[in-house]
Amino acid sequence: MALGAGLKNSTLSLISHRPRQSLARAGRFSLDGRESWLMRWTIEGRLYEGEASPLSGFGPDSPDLCRQEITSLDAQDLVRLSEGAHAASDPLAHLLREGPDFRSPAARFAFETCILNRVADLRQQALWQLLKGLAGHTDPTPSRMPTSAVIEPLVPDWFSWADSLFARGIRTFKVKVGRDLLRELRALRELSARYGPSLSLRIDPNQSWTSDEILELSREALESNLEWLEDPSSEADGWQALASPIPLAADEILLGEEPNAGFLELLNARFVVLKPMALGGFSACLDWARIAQRGGRPVSVSHLF
């Protein structure tokens, strides 16, 4: 789908993107059939790509809105915005001030990814170096960060998948729950027994638990190698019903909220999970990260593909 000729030697296109992915379902959420695109911008022979995979059902995004906003962009505007961002001391602040007013978080993420990749090129940096600087880190060297992977315990051969991940050195599993809780909790106990204390589990019901379920099931979860319980309920009251030993992480419940410390305190969240695709790009994630870290809350970044 061509978006317009734009400047000479600059073009913009949107293509359907079907990455290899396993089906993951939990409560209100399924990856099955999730629409995804690559925004491709070429200028002076260089290709810049941004992924747009709207997360429907948790916030304002939808495939139609995302596609509409990306196809309304023009290659000439991207050239102008990238050069302005390169000249600015804070490229993200420049994009927020001068760029389009996106309603689709996934569209903004694709847009920011393309623009910041070009800014990094113009500054003769890698994108990670540019992002470290925007986050206030002065160390120019890469950082080694632990990686987690998703486990969906109701699909066939899930234990073989877990074994393959563990063999590759991954020691943190994010386990999707919320459809068959007895089987899922049994799987959690099996994982803890099989891999021992070296394994950390992040349990994610995707806001599907009721207040009554939360107390009973979260106590059982504590018997496993629990690092945190993520988004147990869509209601703040459900979070407040949890006993204090349960470490809670805020994820999709942040969608639609302006970054603020009071909301994290209301939820009693000890951890913050940031999804650039769902929150609206790097700018929104950096705002939440600064607030979380000022309150002593560790931050994790989660990206689908």
Side-chain angles (χ1 to χ4, degrees):
M1 176 188 318
L3 304 188
L7 290 178
K8 184 179 180 181
N9 298 326
S10 180
T11 61
L12 194 58
S13 63
L14 185 68
I15 65 167
S16 180
H17 175 45
R18 285 291 181 187
R20 293 178 61 188
Q21 65 191 73
S22 62
L23 173 63
R25 292 175 176 162
R28 305 168 51 202
F29 177 58
S30 170
L31 298 185
D32 190 19
R34 181 171 171 184
E35 293 189 71
S36 180
W37 298 278
L38 286 178
M39 173 180 163
R40 284 186 165 174
W41 175 38
T42 60
I43 176 172
E44 299 172 350
R46 299 298 299 267
L47 170 64
Y48 303 102
E49 291 183 323
E51 185 184 352
S53 302
L55 183 60
S56 301
F58 286 97
D61 221 343
S62 71
D64 288 343
L65 176 62
C66 179
R67 183 172 53 244
Q68 174 189 338
E69 293 197 335
I70 292 178
T71 54
S72 70
L73 297 171
D74 182 84
Q76 183 171 357
D77 290 334
L78 295 191
V79 175
R80 175 180 57 82
L81 287 166
S82 66
E83 291 175 351
H86 168 51
S89 58
D90 187 335
L92 277 175
H94 178 85
L95 294 180
L96 287 172
R97 184 175 61 253
E98 303 293 337
D101 185 15
F102 290 95
R103 292 176 295 148
S104 164
R108 169 162 285 282
F109 175 68
F111 164 81
E112 285 188 357
T113 304
C114 284
I115 295 287
L116 292 180
N117 264 297
R118 173 149 174 80
V119 171
D121 262 5
L122 292 172
R123 295 185 178 188
Q124 298 183 320
Q125 292 180 302
L127 179 58
W128 65 263
Q129 291 173 311
L130 176 65
L131 290 172
K132 280 190 79 169
L134 293 175
H137 298 286
T138 57
D139 183 357
T141 60
S143 301
R144 294 183 61 86
M145 297 182 180
T147 301
S148 65
V150 172
I151 298 289
E152 208 284 284
L154 300 185
V155 301
D157 299 326
W158 70 268
F159 226 139
S160 297
W161 172 238
D163 277 340
S164 69
L165 293 170
F166 198 83
R168 287 159 53 190
I170 295 176
R171 295 294 182 264
T172 302
F173 294 164
K174 177 173 179 174
V175 185
K176 294 285 189 179
V177 300
R179 292 192 294 142
D180 187 333
L181 292 170
L182 292 179
R183 287 174 60 192
E184 290 158 351
L185 289 168
R186 184 166 61 247
L188 292 172
R189 289 191 287 269
E190 290 173 1
L191 286 169
S192 295
R194 185 174 184 87
Y195 303 119
S198 61
L199 179 69
S200 293
L201 297 176
R202 300 171 179 176
I203 302 174
D204 184 9
N206 276 114
Q207 305 180 18
S208 64
W209 287 357
T210 66
S211 295
D212 290 339
E213 289 174 318
I214 285 174
L215 279 175
E216 176 186 354
L217 298 169
S218 59
R219 288 193 183 108
E220 284 196 51
L222 271 178
E223 298 176 7
S224 65
N225 299 9
L226 182 66
E227 183 177 6
W228 68 58
L229 175 63
E230 185 172 319
D231 274 3
S233 170
S234 61
E235 302 295 332
D237 289 348
W239 294 59
Q240 293 162 2
L242 285 166
S244 57
I246 308 292
L248 301 178
D251 187 356
E252 281 96 355
I253 200 166
L254 301 179
L255 304 190
E257 292 285 335
E258 288 295 321
N260 69 96
F263 189 63
L264 299 178
E265 292 169 2
L266 176 67
L267 298 175
N268 194 28
R270 290 195 222 167
F271 300 88
V272 175
V273 180
L274 302 176
K275 282 188 170 68
M277 186 80 70
L279 287 172
F282 301 105
S283 48
C285 287
L286 282 172
D287 287 343
W288 274 114
R290 293 182 183 112
I291 289 170
Q293 291 174 334
R294 281 199 296 267
R297 296 177 175 90
V299 170
S300 174
V301 177
S302 174
H303 186 60
L304 183 60
F305 301 137

